[in-house]
Amino acid sequence: MTTQQVPPGAELPHHPEFLWHNPEPKRHYQVVIIGGGGHGLATAHYLAKLGITDVAVLEKGWLAGGNMARNTTIIRSNYLWDASAGIYEHALKLWETLDVDLDYPILFSQRGVLNLDHSLTDIRDSRRRVAANRLNGIDAEWVDAKGAKEICPILNINDNIRYPVLGGTYQPRGGIAKHDYVAWGFARSADAAGIDLVQNCEVTGIDVTAGKVTGVQTSRGPITADAVAMIGAGHSSVLAAMAGFRLPIQSHPLQALVSELLETVHPTVVMSNAVHVYVSQAHKGELVMGAGVDSYNGYGQRGAFHVIERQMSAAVELFPIFARAHVLRTWGGIVDTTPDASAIMGLTPVENLYVTCGWGTGGFKATPGVGHQMAELIATGKVPDLMGEFSLERFTTGRLVDEHGAAAVAH
């Protein structure tokens, strides 16, 4: 396990009065990015590295105040299909040096990710995925129940529970990062390069002339642009409708919670699809727990008692030591899901209008990879190899990338 740590006696960088500027938007940009979350900020960062800085990132609220601030920070790349493994492994390799690239601490902790098996079907699917991972050069192994206990000593592997632990997949290079620091690092980098980060600027329309995007309408006036990237996560279908086409995504609330601060007891990340809970322990000590997505469509960003009850009952079954932990706060994010539980990246029916969305519960872990690939797409107008199989066209050709099994929670 490797963890980026602050040297003993040292302090985290002093935050100035502002981390980035709050400029008034100009009337024209070379590139407009709709969405100031992790993916939008990462795209801006990598565009700057390609020498493109006449860019505006438009955020209707505050930077990284949506899903970037509401996720459970899990990072891994052990997906089944080659396309998924390719983009997530690309992202993971970027994560491993991202603090140096951003010159900012992101507290990336490679403590490993353990996905539990509770049935013979789970075991079969997990072993298949491990084999596929190894063919793609991704670190992965299958462990039995005792092996899972060695990785996470507080795990309950008794056979007298509803869903006994039979084993699981383990990726040692997986882990967590501090989501706020990641967002701040990308934002500071983009701002320093001269990119405008425009907060409280809601996009209310997308201008299209003769099949080509020409700009956007916003709550702070019209802005023309040579290219526009829609990076709005759960609201991407709303943005697409403004441009005159549909995206095959549904938006669902996804709830999570954290406990009070505790001593370090949980050494890794544990995920269980069968009981719909995934748990890690943050750097400060709180337990971070997520659940499966709510079955209904909506843009809610609040927790609910019935979901908390299910999460806690599942967590206490797997980790009896959590029985006396107190819930500190709950929240919800907006998960954009596609029919095959894989993302959409690339071109749209409108010329020079690009999109990335449909990341489901995998958005945070893909952040640097998405930004890097979207920047290349915008800069060249050509779809990068890692992005090719995630095109919008796959829903008409039938070449789906079905990752329901490897997504690790219910979509």
Side-chain angles (χ1 to χ4, degrees):
M1 179 179 74
T2 60
T3 304
Q4 297 168 5
Q5 295 179 333
V6 179
E11 296 181 357
L12 290 176
H14 174 68
H15 285 178
E17 184 176 350
F18 57 84
L19 294 176
W20 47 82
H21 298 85
N22 283 297
E24 287 295 320
K26 297 186 296 186
R27 292 303 95 190
H28 177 81
Y29 291 94
Q30 182 180 355
V31 180
V32 163
I33 296 171
I34 305 174
H39 290 190
L41 293 170
T43 300
H45 165 76
Y46 288 109
L47 278 173
K49 292 176 76 69
L50 293 174
I52 300 175
T53 57
D54 184 18
V55 179
V57 179
L58 308 182
E59 170 55 47
K60 70 176 181 179
W62 64 91
L63 290 182
N67 286 352
M68 190 65 176
R70 298 169 180 272
N71 69 87
T72 51
T73 76
I74 298 171
I75 297 167
R76 61 187 179 91
S77 64
N78 56 344
Y79 281 71
L80 176 61
W81 299 108
D82 293 353
S84 304
I87 187 65
Y88 283 111
E89 179 64 11
H90 177 59
L92 181 51
K93 289 178 179 177
L94 291 172
W95 278 112
E96 290 174 326
T97 58
L98 191 57
D99 62 328
V100 176
D101 184 21
L102 298 177
D103 190 25
Y104 198 79
I106 61 170
L107 301 187
F108 179 39
S109 172
Q110 291 181 282
R111 59 185 64 185
V113 176
L114 178 65
N115 294 75
L116 299 179
D117 295 334
H118 299 275
S119 69
L120 295 179
T121 299
D122 288 348
I123 293 174
R124 180 199 65 192
D125 291 345
S126 290
R127 286 179 167 171
R128 177 191 180 202
R129 181 149 52 96
V130 165
N133 292 158
R134 289 179 174 176
L135 288 173
N136 280 311
I138 294 172
D139 58 315
E141 59 183 292
W142 187 85
V143 296
D144 59 16
K146 291 183 179 179
K149 180 80 170 178
E150 291 176 1
I151 295 168
C152 184
I154 62 173
L155 181 64
N156 180 11
I157 63 170
N158 293 333
D159 59 6
N160 61 347
I161 57 178
R162 289 181 304 160
Y163 296 96
V165 175
L166 303 182
T169 64
Y170 183 60
Q171 183 177 21
R173 289 169 54 239
I176 62 173
K178 182 69 173 174
H179 52 80
D180 291 335
Y181 287 16
V182 175
W184 298 340
F186 278 125
R188 290 170 75 252
S189 173
D191 178 77
I195 289 174
D196 284 353
L197 307 179
V198 187
Q199 303 180 83
N200 300 308
C201 183
E202 181 178 2
V203 172
T204 57
I206 297 178
D207 298 329
V208 178
T209 303
K212 183 177 181 179
V213 70
T214 57
V216 295
Q217 299 293 320
T218 80
S219 58
R220 297 175 67 172
I223 300 173
T224 60
D226 300 329
V228 175
M230 301 191 307
I231 313 181
H235 288 90
S236 294
S237 57
V238 178
L239 295 172
M242 295 177 185
F245 65 94
R246 297 180 64 186
L247 288 173
I249 66 169
Q250 294 182 337
S251 298
H252 297 264
L254 176 66
Q255 300 181 38
L257 60 87
V258 295
S259 74
E260 61 192 337
L261 301 184
L262 302 170
E263 296 293 332
T264 301
V265 295
H266 189 34
T268 187
V269 180
V270 176
M271 312 180 73
S272 172
N273 194 12
V275 298
H276 290 176
V277 74
Y278 37 103
V279 186
S280 65
Q281 189 166 15
H283 298 84
K284 292 188 298 182
E286 64 264 46
L287 299 171
V288 183
M289 301 185 193
V293 299
D294 290 351
S295 58
Y296 59 89
N297 299 128
Y299 296 113
Q301 293 180 300
R302 294 179 296 177
F305 287 115
H306 69 287
V307 175
I308 297 170
E309 182 180 18
R310 288 201 302 267
Q311 282 180 269
M312 294 304 299
S313 63
V316 170
E317 183 173 275
L318 293 175
F319 308 101
I321 194 174
F322 294 170
R324 294 184 178 273
H326 296 99
V327 175
L328 182 63
R329 65 182 182 274
T330 71
W331 67 91
I334 304 170
V335 174
D336 49 335
T337 64
T338 64
D340 61 356
S342 288
I344 298 170
M345 286 192 289
L347 309 176
T348 73
V350 178
E351 185 179 352
N352 291 345
L353 178 63
Y354 308 108
V355 66
T356 180
C357 66
W359 286 94
T361 56
F364 179 75
K365 64 177 70 71
T367 298
V370 173
H372 184 270
Q373 293 293 285
M374 285 297 291
E376 182 179 340
L377 171 67
I378 295 167
T380 65
K382 298 180 180 179
V383 177
D385 290 342
L386 289 177
M387 190 182 286
E389 293 191 43
F390 296 101
S391 71
L392 182 58
E393 294 178 350
R394 76 178 188 270
F395 297 104
T396 56
T397 64
R399 294 180 62 87
L400 303 181
V401 185
D402 190 351
E403 287 290 358
H404 281 93
V409 296
H411 275 187

